[in-house]
Amino acid sequence: MSVSTPTLQTQPSAVDRPGSAQQNEVTRLLPPWLLVTVTVLLCAAVLIPIVYIAMASLNSDIGVASGEFWPSSWTLSNYSTIWTSVGLANGLMNSLIVAGSTAVVSAAFSIGTAFVLVRYQFRGRRTILRLLLGFQSIPGTLIVLPLFVLFSSSATYLGLQVIGTRWGLFVTYLTFSLPFSTWVMVTYLRGLPKELEEAARIDGATNLGVLTRIILPLSWPGLIVSAIFAFLPGWNDVLFASVMTRPDTQTAAVALQIFSSATEGGALPQYGQMMAAALVSAAPVVLIYMFFQKYLVGGLTSGGVK
């Protein structure tokens, strides 16, 4: 006759249970009161200026100049006037063309370049990676004058007009965005399993087939991140756009700067129109972030955990 011995079942302690109060206390970086305080302060530092700009855009110039936070008289005339006084429509169109084309071309070139740098071993590979990283440390102010002289001389020696054209500004932005986009894609492709590519090669796929059928569908988060970070410098830049453009090709950032400088010498600066134009110019970037938020999170965190 066998005697069965009862098994002792130990209850997990409060520390071992996931989601317990003790575990939360251990893993929490800040005390609750300090966490709430820091969160409120950070949100206030971001939201208060945005709310003030929105309120000022709905206020009259006299009200903004007198320091009113809450408008005494609400008006939407600023949003209807900026399209003629600031020239915002032409600036937004030029910014979308230049920054959008820079983002698309930079992302397209970066995935092919990163695929070669990650999956193939050749002499000079590490040197190229170091050079791409080193290009990011060069300040843009050091390149403005040499780039302007180079593009100006092209009209004399080659008969090719670069200064004042959209495509000249596009080439300028591409030189800065392509190295960073390539590094983003290098980091992302390092996290993709090689087994998928090996299986595709066994099935007879060529290098181009592996890139277009395997790598490209899996790299959309990284591509969107590289495209957005290539789009932002072209959208926000004033330095190169003010040198490389003329009135019919100037971007929205340059149009805002010119309008602000022109109204500073007046008896009453047009604060309401400047605030409205600033909000309209920032709206495309905000919409892009909101629409591609999940891809941004996935692309930026890729490669962090192996």
Side-chain angles (χ1 to χ4, degrees):
M1 182 176 65
S2 61
V3 179
S4 61
T5 58
T7 59
L8 297 177
Q9 297 181 353
T10 59
Q11 297 293 332
S13 62
V15 177
D16 298 331
R17 288 199 302 266
S20 61
Q22 289 81 355
Q23 186 178 10
N24 291 336
E25 290 293 338
V26 172
T27 57
R28 183 181 291 124
L29 297 177
L30 297 175
W33 64 270
L34 184 58
L35 181 63
V36 173
T37 304
V38 171
T39 304
V40 170
L41 291 176
L42 290 177
C43 292
V46 174
L47 293 177
I48 289 177
I50 297 176
V51 173
Y52 176 75
I53 294 175
M55 292 297 179
S57 67
L58 299 173
N59 199 355
S60 62
D61 296 331
I62 298 176
V64 179
S66 62
E68 293 179 355
F69 183 83
W70 191 264
S72 57
S73 60
W74 299 83
T75 177
L76 293 174
S77 61
N78 294 323
Y79 287 94
S80 60
T81 310
I82 56 177
W83 305 105
T84 55
S85 60
V86 184
L88 196 59
N90 183 59
L92 288 175
M93 182 187 67
N94 292 328
S95 294
L96 286 174
I97 293 175
V98 175
S101 58
T102 302
V104 173
V105 174
S106 180
F109 274 91
S110 64
I111 186 173
T113 307
F115 177 70
V116 174
L117 292 174
V118 171
R119 293 296 188 250
Y120 295 93
Q121 299 291 333
F122 54 91
R123 181 176 298 179
R125 171 179 168 273
R126 293 184 178 273
T127 303
I128 294 175
L129 290 172
R130 294 191 182 102
L131 287 176
L132 290 175
L133 186 61
F135 287 155
Q136 303 300 312
S137 61
I138 301 176
T141 53
L142 297 180
I143 310 178
V144 173
L145 183 58
L147 199 63
F148 179 79
V149 173
L150 178 64
F151 284 173
S152 299
S153 61
S154 65
T156 304
Y157 296 103
L158 302 177
L160 187 63
Q161 183 65 33
V162 180
I163 301 296
T165 61
R166 296 189 188 97
W167 72 269
L169 193 60
F170 157 74
V171 173
T172 303
Y173 292 152
L174 192 63
T175 58
F176 294 98
S177 61
L178 191 56
F180 180 79
S181 298
T182 303
W183 259 107
V184 171
M185 293 309 303
V186 165
T187 305
Y188 190 86
L189 293 185
R190 282 174 177 172
L192 295 181
K194 296 181 180 180
E195 290 77 11
L196 296 176
E197 303 173 26
E198 295 173 355
R201 295 184 188 279
I202 292 175
D203 292 337
T206 61
N207 293 332
L208 183 60
V210 170
L211 179 61
T212 55
R213 298 181 181 180
I214 305 299
I215 301 298
L216 184 60
L218 296 176
S219 302
W220 280 114
L223 282 173
I224 291 175
V225 169
S226 63
I228 290 178
F229 279 93
F231 178 86
L232 290 179
W235 186 268
N236 299 324
D237 174 69
V238 177
L239 179 63
F240 289 95
S242 60
V243 175
M244 301 292 180
T245 58
R246 54 176 181 258
D248 60 327
T249 59
Q250 65 186 10
T251 59
V254 178
L256 288 176
Q257 183 195 35
I258 294 175
F259 179 75
S260 176
S261 302
T263 57
E264 283 180 358
L268 183 62
Q270 299 174 349
Y271 293 116
Q273 294 185 36
M274 284 190 288
M275 299 300 181
L279 284 180
V280 172
S281 300
V285 178
V286 175
L287 293 176
I288 288 175
Y289 269 97
M290 292 177 61
F291 187 76
F292 294 108
Q293 182 179 5
K294 63 177 182 179
Y295 296 101
L296 281 170
V297 174
L300 289 174
T301 56
S302 64
V305 180
K306 297 294 184 181

